[in-house]
Amino acid sequence: AELADWPERVKTMQRNWIGRSEGAEVTFEVAETGQQVTVFTTRPDTLWGVTFFVFAVEHPLVEELARAGGTWEQVEPLRERVRGTPLTVREEADTKEGVPLGVHVVNPVNGERVPAYVAPYVLMEYGTGAVMAVPAHDQRDFEFARQHDLPVRVVVQAEEGVPVDPAELTEALPHDGVMVGSGPFDGEHSPASIAKVAAWLEEEGFGHPAVTYRLRDWLISRQRYWGAPIPIIHCAKDGLVPVPPDELPVVLPDDVDFRPGGESPLARHPGFLHAECPVCGGPATRDTDTMDTFVDSSWYYYRYCSPHEEERAFDPESVARWMPAGQYTGGVEHAILHLLYSRFFTKVLHDLGLVGFREPFPRLMNQGQVIYDGASMSKSKGNLVAPMPLVERWGADTVRLIILFAGPFEDDIDWKLIAGDPDRRPGVHAWMGRVFNAVDDATDSDADEPEGLRRATARAVKGVTEDLERFRFNTAISKLQVLTNEMRAALDAGGGAREAASALALLLTPFAPFAAEELWREVLGNAESVHLQDWPRFDPSLVVEDTVTLVIQVNGKVRDRVEVSADIDDATALELARASENARRAVGAGRVVKEIVRAPKLVNLVAQG
Ligand SMILES: [Zn+2]
């Protein structure tokens, strides 16, 4: 699947940000004026529980309805106040506040007239800016109903137990259960009935199934200098005119007055501002806003593939060679902005035929954070830890090793736990001391390298190489510590360890570059830098894998045995079981209904028929 190598957490964040919801649009009619008002609901199965109706303050019908209902004097001040409130604040709006409009709407499913209100907790940005209120099954509607003495009607009851008395409710009920008081749908199971109700609404002409998204339009213009200019010319006669392609790109001037003035600095630069209209040739002005820098960060990496391309944004052949990115690493703070916009831009470029893939970053890793005493470090909390005293005391390589060894790449590490006392010698520093001793002793010995150490070296090269590919830096370092111990043991037993010493210095290079260089040149006596050497290789015959017997059962009876590598995964074990002739014969004409896999030792196929 696409994005198989993305953290589940990021995919969930993006899914929630996009906020796709399925449901239905339902049309209500204003009783007094006859106007139609459409609402979106994810729960059309609760339509029979509607006891009032709420408009957002910005809804285009609000003023007209309030005037018709004689309440404009109360509604207008509320609207003025709420309009000046930022959306993020309004999302937290008090659910008790609201004003009656003095008019009613007619519920199409049962013909009931319910009172209409205007209230800050309903937002124009979501759905249609008007909601049908079902206080028995929606907590915000419930709070509003209690405040304004509005009826609460239960239309979904629990499968078992006594019916709920709405008067006794202290909060909205969950709406899983059986529909009641719902006309033709009484006895239907909810929420399974949602699709059925939506289809019925369409048949009856009351509405239709619909999908909405939480994601809103993105206003990309900014009143800032830094950013890509918006390539539009404003002409009094021709309106908005795109800058002709042969005049692109519009380049920012580099002599701009940055003093604050409440508008883009570009608006005060006459040379930039004034332009000729591409249509009529008359005097016109350039758009002085620039684009949000997220516009650039959404696709800059394509430009990086061919930075010297003059004719186009990028050279498709270079992009085909370099992209999609083999590995993306970054903080999770980008999950719903940069990483979502980049995917969106790439899908558009793909649909335009400009790139041959739909995902720019098929592999994503989010690194953990360094925290302190359980909390994020921040100036305001006063829990910042400066790394330099530790670097001065124990060396940069030690600090690097502490961080890499502290835990998996994706996990946060708590600095208090791993290096809380700067005066205490870090464990990795003591280990580096043992590395220097062992490598030094290895250069003094001419003895043959024992077979066991040669195997240990090959295992370390293989293991560290694999760990690096998978960002398992902490386990790579523990493998280097194992190799150090093996070297020590071989040397103490009178054996040699030169090959192991060279491999250890090379393998240490990405983790402790200064120490590795010191070992390579000063201790091992090589002339050229360790950073110019090839990555070490190993003799595969020295890394013979342990094997175990995989038992293949059908319905609990042993049907086959296969020798397998001890580290095979469940998928491989299952594949071998399915391929086994003996197992196939045992299944015969039956059908495998269940597979129990315990790699590397057991696969049991459960067959029927
Ligand atoms: Zn013009």
Side-chain angles (χ1 to χ4, degrees):
E2 279 182 329
L3 305 188
D5 290 316
W6 272 41
E8 210 45 54
R9 162 169 84 142
V10 174
K11 286 193 272 187
T12 302
M13 286 165 81
Q14 292 202 350
R15 211 172 279 129
N16 292 341
W17 192 254
I18 294 166
R20 184 181 195 276
S21 25
E22 285 184 29
E25 279 188 0
V26 188
T27 304
F28 287 64
E29 189 179 293
V30 180
E32 288 81 357
T33 65
Q35 279 142 323
Q36 310 269 298
V37 190
T38 300
V39 300
F40 173 81
T41 173
T42 57
R43 298 303 301 249
D45 54 324
T46 61
L47 262 164
W48 288 263
V50 172
T51 57
F52 61 102
F53 197 93
V54 191
F55 288 89
V57 296
E58 299 95 336
H59 194 285
L61 286 180
V62 160
E63 180 168 351
E64 191 183 337
L65 296 182
R67 288 190 189 281
T71 59
W72 180 237
E73 269 178 40
Q74 292 85 57
V75 171
E76 189 183 19
L78 175 71
R79 185 172 78 166
E80 289 316 304
R81 182 163 56 77
V82 171
R83 269 180 170 174
T85 314
L87 194 60
T88 44
V89 176
R90 290 189 52 195
E91 282 176 331
E92 311 290 320
D94 182 1
T95 50
K96 297 190 174 86
E97 187 176 16
V99 176
L101 279 170
V103 295
H104 300 78
V105 300
V106 180
N107 185 344
V109 303
N110 55 13
E112 276 184 33
R113 286 162 57 112
V114 298
Y117 285 75
V118 58
Y121 82 91
V122 173
L123 301 179
M124 198 63 213
E125 281 73 14
Y126 299 145
T128 61
V131 302
M132 55 179 235
V134 184
H137 304 290
D138 179 281
Q139 185 59 27
R140 295 190 312 165
D141 296 346
F142 180 83
E143 288 166 17
F144 191 89
R146 282 291 189 249
Q147 178 70 23
H148 296 267
D149 281 329
L150 291 158
V152 174
R153 188 187 300 158
V154 174
V155 289
V156 180
Q157 288 277 15
E159 303 270 345
E160 283 157 20
V162 283
V164 179
D165 176 1
E168 316 238 297
L169 288 180
T170 53
E171 60 179 7
L173 292 169
H175 36 202
D176 284 11
V178 180
M179 291 173 68
V180 293
S182 297
F185 290 94
D186 279 358
E188 291 277 351
H189 291 268
S190 174
S193 57
I194 289 176
K196 221 173 183 179
V197 174
W200 176 81
L201 289 170
E202 189 158 35
E203 273 168 38
E204 299 289 327
F206 299 150
H208 53 85
V211 174
T212 62
Y213 298 88
R214 180 180 178 272
L215 197 65
R216 298 190 283 266
D217 283 348
W218 175 17
L219 177 67
I220 62 163
S221 62
R222 297 288 179 273
Q223 292 72 54
R224 290 188 200 134
Y225 169 76
W226 282 113
I230 292 171
I232 291 288
I233 290 171
H234 298 256
C235 171
K237 206 164 118 255
D238 300 298
L240 303 180
V241 183
V243 173
D246 63 347
E247 289 173 28
L248 293 175
V250 178
V251 178
L252 286 173
D254 53 16
D255 54 344
V256 161
D257 173 10
F258 288 102
R259 278 172 300 182
E263 58 184 350
S264 166
L266 293 175
R268 296 194 299 266
H269 190 288
F272 180 86
L273 180 65
H274 297 292
E276 197 174 87
C277 170
V279 177
C280 69
T285 56
R286 288 189 189 281
D287 199 298
T288 56
D289 283 353
T290 54
M291 295 186 217
D292 185 347
T293 49
F294 273 117
V295 174
D296 308 298
S297 63
S298 299
W299 66 285
Y300 72 90
Y301 37 87
Y302 295 120
R303 180 68 189 172
Y304 280 14
C305 297
S306 52
H308 305 296
E309 174 68 44
E310 293 287 339
E311 301 301 315
R312 299 165 288 191
F314 54 81
D315 165 34
E317 274 176 38
S318 302
V319 167
R321 189 155 70 89
W322 287 102
M323 292 292 292
Q327 174 69 54
Y328 186 105
T329 54
V332 74
E333 69 273 13
H334 291 304
I336 46 171
L337 298 172
H338 169 57
L339 284 171
L340 186 62
Y341 301 154
S342 295
R343 296 184 59 210
F344 175 72
F345 271 61
T346 295
K347 285 175 199 300
V348 172
L349 292 173
H350 175 266
D351 290 351
L352 292 170
L354 294 170
V355 303
F357 45 87
R358 292 173 52 82
E359 294 291 345
F361 317 127
R363 256 175 70 137
L364 171 69
M365 287 273 272
N366 298 129
Q367 76 274 20
Q369 254 189 313
V370 181
I371 61 174
Y372 192 83
D373 202 9
S376 298
M377 290 191 200
S378 75
K379 270 187 191 161
S380 58
K381 284 183 202 145
N383 65 349
L384 294 179
V385 175
M388 282 318 286
L390 215 61
V391 170
E392 277 156 19
R393 179 90 195 259
W394 303 107
D397 278 357
T398 298
V399 177
R400 205 176 269 119
L401 286 168
I402 289 173
I403 294 172
L404 295 175
F405 191 47
F409 181 82
E410 301 94 324
D411 290 4
D412 289 348
I413 56 178
D414 194 324
W415 200 251
K416 188 179 182 187
L417 298 178
I418 63 165
D421 177 3
D423 291 328
R424 221 182 79 213
R425 188 185 188 192
V428 290
H429 190 271
W431 165 54
M432 287 310 291
R434 293 196 296 276
V435 169
F436 272 85
N437 285 337
V439 174
D440 194 25
D441 291 353
T443 63
D444 293 339
S445 166
D446 289 327
D448 281 347
E449 203 138 337
E451 178 76 6
L453 181 58
R454 295 189 60 221
R455 287 183 181 281
T457 303
R459 268 200 308 275
V461 173
K462 179 174 190 280
V464 171
T465 306
E466 289 170 355
D467 284 350
L468 277 173
E469 294 280 343
R470 290 179 295 185
F471 286 62
R472 295 189 184 155
F473 306 131
N474 56 330
T475 58
I477 290 169
S478 61
K479 289 184 174 88
L480 294 175
Q481 293 176 341
V482 169
L483 179 60
T484 310
N485 295 342
E486 300 270 357
M487 277 176 69
R488 183 77 265 159
L491 289 162
D492 289 351
R498 270 205 88 104
E499 191 200 341
S502 287
L504 182 56
L506 290 166
L507 293 175
L508 263 173
T509 311
F511 308 98
F514 295 113
E517 183 75 348
E518 182 89 2
L519 289 165
W520 186 253
R521 291 172 70 160
E522 302 303 323
V523 186
L524 290 167
N526 294 296
E528 205 181 43
S529 167
V530 73
H531 301 288
L532 297 173
Q533 308 309 310
D534 287 341
W535 189 246
R537 295 175 181 282
F538 64 94
D539 176 354
S541 70
L542 292 173
V543 197
V544 182
E545 291 168 347
D546 294 332
T547 63
V548 293
T549 304
L550 172 69
V551 173
I552 300 168
Q553 299 178 335
V554 176
N555 292 337
K557 274 193 190 153
V558 178
R559 296 297 184 178
D560 208 350
R561 291 186 166 85
V562 194
E563 284 302 301
V564 298
S565 155
D567 60 4
I568 66 164
D569 56 14
D570 281 357
T572 314
L574 181 59
E575 230 165 75
L576 289 168
R578 284 176 179 154
S580 156
E581 270 307 311
N582 291 343
R584 281 193 197 185
R585 216 169 295 131
V587 173
R591 197 165 54 86
V592 175
V593 293
K594 197 177 176 193
E595 296 147 339
I596 299 154
V597 188
R598 304 272 180 274
K601 291 200 167 151
L602 174 82
V603 175
N604 181 18
L605 303 175
V606 181
Q608 265 178 13

